Amino acid sequence: SLNLSDASLMRAALFQLGSNIPGRLLLIIHHLAVDGVSWRILLEDLLVAYQQVGRGELIQLPPKTTSFKEWSIRLTEYAQSNAISSELDYWLTQSGQGLTPLPVDFSLSHESNKVAATSNVSVSLNAEETRALLQEVPSAYNTQMNDVLLTALLQSFARWTGERSLRLDLEGHGREELFDDVDISRTVGWFTSLFPVCLEEEDKHPGQALKSIKEQLRRLPNRGIGYGILRYLSPTAAQIQTVPPAQVRFNYLGQVAQEESHVWQLTQESGGSESSRLGYRSHLLDVSGIVVNGRLQIDWSYSNEIHRRSTIERLAGWFMEALRDLIDHCRSPDAVGFTPSDFSKAGLSQRELDDLIAEID
């Protein structure tokens, strides 16, 4: 029922299911108005307001931060600067690498990649594995979640395609700290950044592979936000807009915390289709991860007119094998090490850093 022509960007409905059954609140907001971080801000504010009203208090929410309009203006100004134009060669190089087509099971066409043909395969870690991934794995090599997930992703695709490189479009939250006088930590809007990354499998050993992907991701300028600015706002936009998108998109959405107050919680029911069935998918494979109820879930979205379900299930299974191998390795006593980005001002290569640490030991 959302309609952009009359600015209908939000719908809300309360379902009362009887005196002994918890009700359901359905909120639907167009992606033009919210992103994943925005949902957390809105739900947090909604819960605070609900509790304050329940106690007979006035609704009092934290102060607002920089408006989406002001952020847009500042991005437009930034797009004309030397700082962003200096990234152009980097992004043109990234966009032109790793374009080997993915294997397909059926004939590939624009029509076969329509939203109506979308299917999904979901795989997940158990609670203990997820706890280890979140709390123990980062300390081994000073990594972040994307480092680990993308290492497993590259290894699973290499097993499928036989290629040691993979070009993908990586989604980020887009709320980068570009300006000292701008705070968008509580601003609601669509900030998401999308940018190409070409990952190389340089070593099959879990520890070495993880360190390699970590360093490849650390070379991204400003966590990738510059690509979209150059593509849509800068005078050099035409040079990037001719580059075709990757066939794979990856997005880690973070953790969805459950409130301990038991006032409300996320439901298990589906909220319905998120896209019109008349539309077309932008990528062959959409891979997204999220931690809900203490468990990591990875969803693989594909077209059943391009790939068989068994193909995607096998690929998702290889991903989980690689991810569990990384978790097991990082929990082992000998999984301790640093990479050059941990000492960025030193200007050391990985070999030089390893030699230096060995000498200190």
Side-chain angles (χ1 to χ4, degrees):
S1 62
L2 302 184
N3 191 334
L4 299 184
S5 64
D6 61 7
S8 300
L9 298 180
M10 178 176 175
R11 289 286 185 270
L14 177 64
F15 297 88
Q16 294 178 334
L17 306 179
S19 58
N20 297 321
I21 305 175
R24 298 292 189 272
L25 175 63
L26 174 64
L27 299 175
I28 303 173
I29 309 180
H30 198 284
H31 206 338
L32 281 174
V34 295
D35 55 16
V37 176
S38 296
W39 274 113
R40 295 174 196 167
I41 297 168
L42 290 172
L43 294 177
E44 178 184 308
D45 281 359
L46 196 56
L47 176 58
V48 169
Y50 182 85
Q51 292 173 324
Q52 289 173 342
V53 170
R55 294 191 296 264
E57 302 170 356
L58 291 176
I59 295 177
Q60 197 124 24
L61 300 175
K64 66 172 289 184
T65 49
T66 305
S67 71
F68 190 83
K69 178 181 180 180
E70 176 63 21
W71 172 253
S72 303
I73 292 172
R74 297 296 294 274
L75 278 190
T76 304
E77 295 171 349
Y78 182 67
Q80 317 304 313
S81 69
N82 291 331
I84 192 65
S85 61
S86 65
E87 294 184 15
L88 180 61
D89 288 342
Y90 173 88
W91 289 115
L92 287 175
T93 301
Q94 285 289 305
S95 301
Q97 294 179 341
L99 285 174
T100 305
L102 294 178
V104 296
D105 296 322
F106 309 110
S107 60
L108 177 59
S109 67
H110 179 65
E111 189 64 27
S112 62
N113 204 26
K114 55 184 178 291
V115 173
T118 302
S119 293
N120 191 70
V121 168
S122 292
V123 290
S124 60
L125 295 177
N126 62 36
E128 170 57 23
E129 291 170 329
T130 303
R131 185 202 63 78
L133 177 63
L134 293 172
Q135 299 178 16
E136 298 182 49
V137 169
S139 61
Y141 301 107
N142 191 28
T143 55
Q144 300 170 2
M145 181 66 99
N146 260 4
D147 303 331
V148 186
L149 297 180
L150 288 173
T151 300
L153 191 76
L154 176 61
Q155 292 176 332
S156 60
F157 271 84
R159 194 169 170 181
W160 182 37
T161 65
E163 299 287 337
R164 296 181 65 109
S165 64
L166 173 67
R167 183 186 159 201
L168 54 85
D169 285 339
L170 185 60
E171 282 200 30
H173 55 64
R175 297 169 184 255
E176 309 303 341
E177 297 178 0
L178 296 177
F179 317 108
D180 293 336
D181 58 341
V182 169
D183 176 13
I184 50 176
S185 59
R186 281 184 40 78
T187 305
V188 171
W190 190 5
F191 291 85
T192 310
S193 56
L194 183 68
F195 48 92
V197 177
C198 185
L199 301 177
E200 296 283 344
E201 186 184 41
E202 298 175 352
D203 199 308
K204 293 186 180 297
H205 180 273
Q208 297 302 325
L210 182 53
K211 290 194 291 185
S212 171
I213 296 303
K214 170 189 169 183
E215 288 304 289
Q216 291 177 49
L217 293 175
R218 295 302 180 277
R219 289 195 286 269
L220 288 169
N222 288 320
R223 298 184 181 86
I225 191 173
Y227 177 80
I229 297 173
L230 285 168
R231 185 177 179 92
Y232 299 107
L233 297 177
S234 78
T236 58
Q239 295 184 55
I240 292 186
Q241 288 178 356
T242 58
V243 178
Q247 292 186 313
V248 182
R249 178 168 58 186
F250 179 82
N251 186 17
Y252 172 60
L253 296 163
Q255 301 179 60
V256 177
Q258 294 284 10
E259 294 294 333
E260 298 300 325
S261 64
H262 304 296
V263 174
W264 55 24
Q265 60 184 355
L266 294 177
T267 67
Q268 299 301 311
E269 295 93 341
S270 168
S273 175
E274 295 183 357
S275 303
S276 167
R277 292 175 59 84
L278 300 177
Y280 292 88
R281 304 172 69 248
S282 59
H283 297 74
L284 289 190
L285 295 178
D286 255 313
V287 187
S288 62
I290 190 170
V291 176
V292 181
N293 295 328
R295 298 183 57 172
L296 173 71
Q297 176 176 310
I298 304 291
D299 292 319
W300 298 71
S301 175
Y302 66 100
S303 168
N304 55 36
E305 294 186 8
I306 298 175
H307 289 107
R308 294 186 179 91
R309 184 176 185 85
S310 59
T311 298
I312 307 304
E313 286 178 336
R314 184 168 63 252
L315 181 59
W318 287 339
F319 172 86
M320 297 305 290
E321 285 182 29
L323 183 58
R324 289 189 171 103
D325 285 345
L326 289 168
I327 294 173
D328 291 342
H329 169 76
C330 289
R331 300 179 79 182
S332 65
D334 58 340
V336 178
F338 297 96
T339 62
S341 63
D342 296 323
F343 309 97
S344 56
K345 294 184 179 180
L348 298 172
S349 67
Q350 185 67 60
R351 180 179 294 277
E352 290 170 334
L353 180 58
D354 290 342
D355 291 343
L356 179 59
I357 292 175
E359 184 177 336
I360 293 173
D361 289 341

